[in-house]
Amino acid sequence: MTSRANRLQPAADLAHDRQEAAMQRLAEQQQKLAKAEHQLEELRKYRAEYADAQGGVSVSALLNRRQFVERIDQVIAQQVNEVARQRRLLDGVRNQWREAHAREQALGSVIDRYREQERKSEDRREQAEIDERMQHRRPSRGFS
């Protein structure tokens, strides 16, 4: 007869696989967020460098510079939104991992408890067999 722990093992294995997959997605999302944050930082540096650079003094050069800085600001705003989106995605993936991890841990605990109960039951059965054999054993004759 298959024990309860052994019957639950496939579910525990599946929970483990799901937890591993969730952990992989979490790592990937962390990398995506780090990349988006890095790109934002690079854009901000570029804007600061460009805004500080001395250019021509003509009106058209100043207007071109101003328009370009405004365009960089738009791109920075888009990247800020992208970083926020990546953070939300990371939070979601992190929650999925936590749930998968909790499920795996819960199943592991149940299986451990079942195995312990089964071990205790087996110990009691073996002790009962020993006690039964001892009762049916003939009393040994003493030395005369």
Side-chain angles (χ1 to χ4, degrees), residues 52-128:
D52 290 343
Q54 298 298 318
V57 246
S58 73
V59 172
S60 90
L62 288 173
L63 286 175
N64 285 341
R65 177 177 292 281
R66 187 173 137 213
Q67 287 175 345
F68 189 70
V69 169
E70 287 173 358
R71 179 66 186 128
I72 293 172
D73 287 341
Q74 291 172 354
V75 172
I76 287 172
Q78 290 172 349
Q79 192 62 25
V80 166
N81 289 336
E82 177 62 14
V83 167
R85 187 179 78 83
Q86 292 297 333
R87 282 192 179 128
R88 286 190 305 273
L89 289 171
L90 178 61
D91 289 343
V93 171
R94 184 178 291 125
N95 288 336
Q96 290 172 353
W97 173 79
R98 284 182 183 143
E99 290 171 7
H101 181 69
R103 249 183 257 118
E104 178 189 22
Q105 294 296 311
L107 274 169
S109 294
V110 169
I111 288 173
D112 289 347
R113 194 169 355 123
Y114 283 166
R115 288 197 199 285
E116 182 63 19
Q117 289 172 354
E118 290 162 5
R119 186 192 61 75
K120 286 179 181 178
S121 178
E122 181 63 21
D123 289 349
R124 283 191 300 272
R125 189 189 61 73
E126 288 175 4
Q127 186 61 46

Side-chain angles (χ1 to χ4, degrees), residues 30-44 79 82-84 86-87 90:
Q30 286 171 329
Q31 289 174 347
K32 288 178 183 178
L33 175 59
K35 181 180 177 185
E37 289 173 334
H38 178 72
Q39 288 174 339
L40 178 59
E41 186 59 33
E42 291 297 312
L43 284 167
R44 286 178 172 159
Q79 192 62 25
E82 177 62 14
V83 167
Q86 292 297 333
R87 282 192 179 128
L90 178 61

Side-chain angles (χ1 to χ4, degrees), residues 19-30:
Q19 186 273 143
E20 289 287 323
M23 190 174 5
Q24 180 64 35
R25 286 190 304 273
L26 178 60
E28 290 169 1
Q29 188 59 43
Q30 286 171 329

Side-chain angles (χ1 to χ4, degrees), residues 1 8 12-13 15 39 46 54 77 101 126 133:
M1 182 168 124
L8 273 180
D13 294 342
Q39 288 174 339
Y46 180 72
Q54 298 298 318
H101 181 69
E126 288 175 4
R133 276 189 245 132

